[in-house]
Amino acid sequence: ATSARYENILVDSPKPGVGLITLNRPRALNALSSALFAELNNALTEFDHDSTTGAIVLTGSEKAFAAGADIKEMKDLTFSDVTNINFIASWSSTIPHIRKPIIAAVNGHAHGGGCELALMADILYCSSSASFSQPEIKLGIIPGAGGSQRLTNIVGKSRAMDLILTGRSFSGVEAERWGVAARCFESAEECVNGAVDTAGKMAGMSRVAVRAAKEVVNKSQDLGLREGVEYERKTFHGLFGSKDQKIGTLLALTWPYTQAD
Ligand code: CAA
């Protein structure tokens, strides 16, 4: 992976198996322009197809993960324009189809579409300096990239209404307390390093099992419990056809393996 082709993002591989995408539009606090999102989709697809990559970390700067959709790009669009171009449909065209785990490492501002992008990741890590919000109501609009659905699924209706109807911010510490973030670190550096470490661990697991695990957890968001459990069992059975299952269960019978973190 190389950053050379990109103007709004950086791509890197900080450790074996880990793809790192850094949003890099500092002068606009990583506002998610169409150009930036096209590059992000491209980089995600490349890492997904790259056999050396096992998991992907998505981050921004210490100051901003992303300050939302690009307001300058958005301000003159009419109803006809947004429906004709199917505005921000590209935000959902690729990410839901990425099969490798995506960990968002969120520091600084994550507002509007920035918060929604973070919520699209499989795992969200943040630092205590992170500030999240869905401020669209202040612009006379509403979240347009899944925020009203994903945030509500996580924090519940009452808290989601409280946040989305006022546009107020919540901190990284609150995000962790409410289950929006899996972990909240003390500094931005620890947050990104923590995400890279976790991605590295996942990259060291059976690829076929990690893919299956991501798929079944995501199914829990769409299916009822009975169908979800059924789907899980079928997928579980399928893994018995993999070599990794044969090697993994054999190794699990040896003592040090079960002691390992
Ligand atoms: N779009 C375009 N440019 C943005 C931007 C955005 N969302 N957010 C910040 N910028 C730009 C600013 O215009 C400014 O550029 P100039 O220097 O050229 O004026 C630069 O980034 C730095 O911003 P500030 O000077 O405002 O920085 P700050 O530290 O004082 O404030 C902030 C930070 C509180 C995040 C503030 O920038 C802010 O409120 N930004 C807008 C946040 C927002 O409303 N986002 C929601 C957008 S709507 C949406 O996302 C729709 C959806 O659901 C998909």
Side-chain angles (χ1 to χ4, degrees), residues 27-29 31 63 67 69-72 109 111-113 116 136 143-144:
R27 272 173 296 176
L29 300 180
K63 181 149 194 237
D70 190 319
I71 299 177
K72 288 168 192 161
H109 297 292
H111 302 300
E116 292 172 297
E136 292 87 351

Side-chain angles (χ1 to χ4, degrees), residues 180-247:
V180 172
R183 295 171 67 177
C184 178
F185 294 82
E186 277 181 16
S187 71
E189 198 187 350
E190 285 172 79
C191 172
V192 176
N193 289 343
V196 169
D197 278 353
T198 299
K201 276 188 194 142
M202 290 172 181
M205 303 293 172
S206 157
R207 291 280 162 82
V208 67
V210 168
R211 192 161 60 233
K214 165 165 169 162
E215 195 183 324
V216 294
V217 173
N218 277 334
K219 281 285 176 200
S220 74
Q221 307 292 295
D222 299 329
L223 299 179
L225 182 63
R226 202 201 311 201
E227 289 167 293
V229 171
E230 188 87 359
Y231 188 83
E232 180 198 66
R233 193 172 54 248
K234 288 205 159 72
T235 309
F236 171 76
H237 288 165
L239 290 172
F240 285 69
S242 76
K243 266 191 197 149
D244 289 345
Q245 181 272 343
K246 295 287 165 285
I247 298 165

Side-chain angles (χ1 to χ4, degrees), residues 169-187:
S169 299
F170 57 101
S171 68
V173 174
E174 285 172 304
E176 186 190 35
R177 196 186 307 142
W178 299 342
V180 172
R183 295 171 67 177
C184 178
F185 294 82
E186 277 181 16
S187 71

Side-chain angles (χ1 to χ4, degrees), residues 12 51 60 73 113 117 121 123 129 142-143 152-153 156 184 187 203 205 229 241:
D12 190 13
S51 62
E73 197 174 284
L117 174 61
I123 300 170
S129 74
I142 61 167
T152 308
N153 284 345
C184 178
S187 71
M205 303 293 172
V229 171

Side-chain angles (χ1 to χ4, degrees), residues 25-32 63-64 66-74 87-88 91 109-116 133-136 138-139 141-147:
R25 254 194 104 195
R27 272 173 296 176
L29 300 180
N30 294 334
L32 302 165
K63 181 149 194 237
D70 190 319
I71 299 177
K72 288 168 192 161
E73 197 174 284
M74 215 165 60
F87 184 53
I88 72 170
W91 293 27
H109 297 292
H111 302 300
C115 183
E116 292 172 297
S133 74
Q134 294 296 161
E136 292 87 351
K138 298 181 189 170
L139 281 66
I141 50 175
I142 61 167

Side-chain angles (χ1 to χ4, degrees), residues 6-192:
Y6 297 124
E7 286 176 15
N8 301 286
I9 62 171
L10 302 169
V11 294
D12 190 13
S13 183
K15 68 158 63 175
V18 180
L20 175 65
I21 302 175
T22 306
L23 305 179
N24 186 35
R25 254 194 104 195
R27 272 173 296 176
L29 300 180
N30 294 334
L32 302 165
S33 61
S34 313
L36 183 151
F37 228 98
E39 292 183 5
L40 174 60
N41 283 342
N42 205 330
L44 285 168
T45 304
E46 282 199 354
F47 278 134
D48 208 33
H49 291 162
D50 170 31
S51 62
T52 66
T53 304
I56 304 162
V57 174
L58 173 62
T59 195
S61 68
E62 193 167 344
K63 181 149 194 237
F65 178 74
D70 190 319
I71 299 177
K72 288 168 192 161
E73 197 174 284
M74 215 165 60
K75 69 179 178 17
D76 295 325
L77 297 178
T78 64
F79 173 74
S80 305
D81 294 333
V82 290
T83 50
N84 285 341
I85 63 173
N86 203 0
F87 184 53
I88 72 170
S90 67
W91 293 27
S92 306
S93 65
T94 300
I95 295 177
H97 304 290
I98 299 296
R99 300 196 301 169
K100 291 173 185 166
I102 304 174
I103 306 176
V106 180
N107 299 297
H109 297 292
H111 302 300
C115 183
E116 292 172 297
L117 174 61
L119 292 170
M120 286 181 213
D122 298 307
I123 300 170
L124 197 164
Y125 282 1
C126 66
S127 64
S128 44
S129 74
S131 172
F132 297 86
S133 74
Q134 294 296 161
E136 292 87 351
I137 201 81
K138 298 181 189 170
L139 281 66
I141 50 175
I142 61 167
S148 66
Q149 310 300 298
R150 292 196 179 90
L151 190 61
T152 308
N153 284 345
I154 300 166
V155 303
K157 187 183 92 167
S158 179
R159 190 163 267 152
M161 291 277 190
D162 185 32
L163 295 168
I164 292 170
L165 277 59
T166 65
R168 74 176 177 86
S169 299
F170 57 101
S171 68
V173 174
E174 285 172 304
E176 186 190 35
R177 196 186 307 142
W178 299 342
V180 172
R183 295 171 67 177
C184 178
F185 294 82
E186 277 181 16
S187 71
E189 198 187 350
E190 285 172 79
C191 172
V192 176

